[in-house]
Amino acid sequence: MASSLALHFAATATTARTAVAHFHSTSSSKFRKFSTKIRCVAWDPEGILGAPQGGHISRLEFKKRFEKDSDAREAFERQVREEKERRRALRESRAVPDTAAGLVDYFLDTEARELEFEIARLRPRLNEEFFSHLRLELGKLRFAVSKTQDMEDRVIELEALQKALQEGTEAYDKLQTDLVIARKSLTKIFSSEDVKATLLDMVETNELNRSLLTLLDENIANAHVANQKEAADYMEKIRSAVLKYITV
């Protein structure tokens, strides 16, 4: 069991979620005009799992239906495959610009649900050079002597993008650090002969946190998709125990 779970964990622990920008269209004449709202969610660069769903009871009800209804399971798996393929095709069709100016427009043209993935993929490009260019363009537009409506719209776009990318990169960097610890913690739990004692030790060392829960949720979801019921049930029990210690 431990070996199987460890292998499954290694294959699925690469995806994490975090805070991202949520864009809303505000003008039919300006396709990219939007406002931004930062939400605190789990990091999901692939964007397959969608928005986070709260409620432990709702999750358990879905699990029961998922196990009993083969048609629902097949439809869910097909939907996941189709969405993943759509995203893959979209990503492959886009060419990433070489310049900071081009990268700004690239992000402005990015679908809201794809922004998480693009921040993760292009994190090395989101450096001081990029943000300096963004600030410079904003400064020129704000202090321009004569302003057009297009210039005003551009300022709104760039301000929203700047906020989204700054908060997104900060959250991404923090998640990477947290996930390193979470992976080690989850490996420790999977390889333990006395899970309860291990969890108690981890409470003392403050190793049980939301990042560990996120990682467990990823593994549980993938176990259900792969029809690994025994592994999913085992991880559900671990998750319940971890949640209990976190909320005490």
Side-chain angles (χ1 to χ4, degrees):
M1 168 64 72
S3 175
S4 173
L5 287 172
L7 287 174
H8 178 66
F9 160 70
T12 60
T14 56
T15 303
R17 305 182 192 175
T18 191
V20 301
H22 181 56
F23 298 108
H24 299 280
S25 174
T26 59
S27 171
S28 58
S29 63
K30 185 71 175 178
F31 175 75
R32 297 183 304 171
K33 185 177 180 181
F34 53 82
S35 61
T36 185
K37 178 181 179 181
I38 303 300
R39 298 179 299 156
C40 184
V41 301
W43 182 267
D44 179 19
E46 294 298 326
I48 298 303
L49 299 179
Q53 301 295 325
H56 187 63
I57 294 177
S58 298
R59 187 166 57 84
L60 290 177
E61 289 176 351
F62 174 77
K63 173 191 170 186
K64 291 178 181 178
R65 182 189 172 196
F66 194 81
E67 292 174 349
K68 294 180 180 179
D69 193 335
S70 60
D71 290 339
R73 181 169 61 250
E74 182 179 347
F76 173 77
E77 292 172 353
R78 182 174 62 255
Q79 182 180 6
V80 170
R81 289 194 301 269
E82 290 174 353
E83 178 63 9
K84 187 174 182 178
E85 176 58 27
R86 186 191 75 81
R87 300 264 177 117
R88 184 195 62 78
L90 175 63
R91 291 163 183 171
E92 290 182 355
S93 69
R94 303 187 73 200
V96 180
D98 295 328
T99 64
L103 198 58
V104 168
D105 287 324
Y106 180 88
F107 275 109
L108 287 174
D109 289 330
T110 297
E111 289 184 14
R113 292 180 63 186
E114 285 291 287
L115 193 62
E116 295 176 0
F117 171 81
E118 294 296 353
I119 288 176
R121 180 169 69 140
L122 298 173
R123 178 62 186 91
R125 296 279 305 276
L126 299 176
N127 50 25
E128 181 56 31
E129 178 185 356
F130 172 82
F131 284 108
S132 291
H133 171 84
L134 192 53
R135 289 192 296 269
L136 179 62
E137 183 177 355
L138 269 170
K140 289 180 179 178
L141 290 171
R142 285 169 179 159
F143 297 106
V145 176
S146 300
K147 291 184 180 180
T148 65
Q149 186 58 50
D150 283 346
M151 293 170 68
E152 296 281 1
D153 291 344
R154 179 75 173 180
V155 168
I156 294 173
E157 290 178 0
L158 294 180
E159 287 177 342
L161 181 65
Q162 182 183 45
K163 179 178 176 63
L165 293 182
Q166 285 178 336
E167 295 192 7
T169 52
E170 288 172 4
Y172 174 81
D173 292 344
K174 183 179 185 303
L175 250 295
Q176 297 313 298
T177 300
D178 291 346
L179 281 173
V180 170
I181 299 173
R183 290 187 186 108
K184 292 180 180 178
S185 298
L186 195 53
T187 301
K188 184 189 297 186
I189 294 172
F190 283 165
S191 60
S192 173
E193 296 182 0
D194 188 340
V195 173
K196 184 176 181 180
T198 298
L199 290 177
L200 289 173
D201 289 341
M202 294 172 72
V203 170
E204 294 296 325
T205 55
N206 199 30
E207 294 180 69
L208 302 184
N209 51 43
R210 294 293 170 181
S211 294
L212 179 58
L213 282 180
T214 297
L215 212 50
L216 273 168
D217 286 339
E218 295 282 343
N219 279 268
I220 291 168
N222 281 280
H224 281 305
V225 171
N227 202 27
Q228 297 177 342
K229 183 178 182 300
E230 185 179 359
D233 288 344
Y234 178 72
M235 288 186 288
E236 285 279 7
K237 292 178 181 178
I238 291 178
R239 187 189 189 281
S240 297
V242 170
L243 186 61
K244 173 184 175 183
Y245 289 120
I246 287 178
T247 56
V248 166

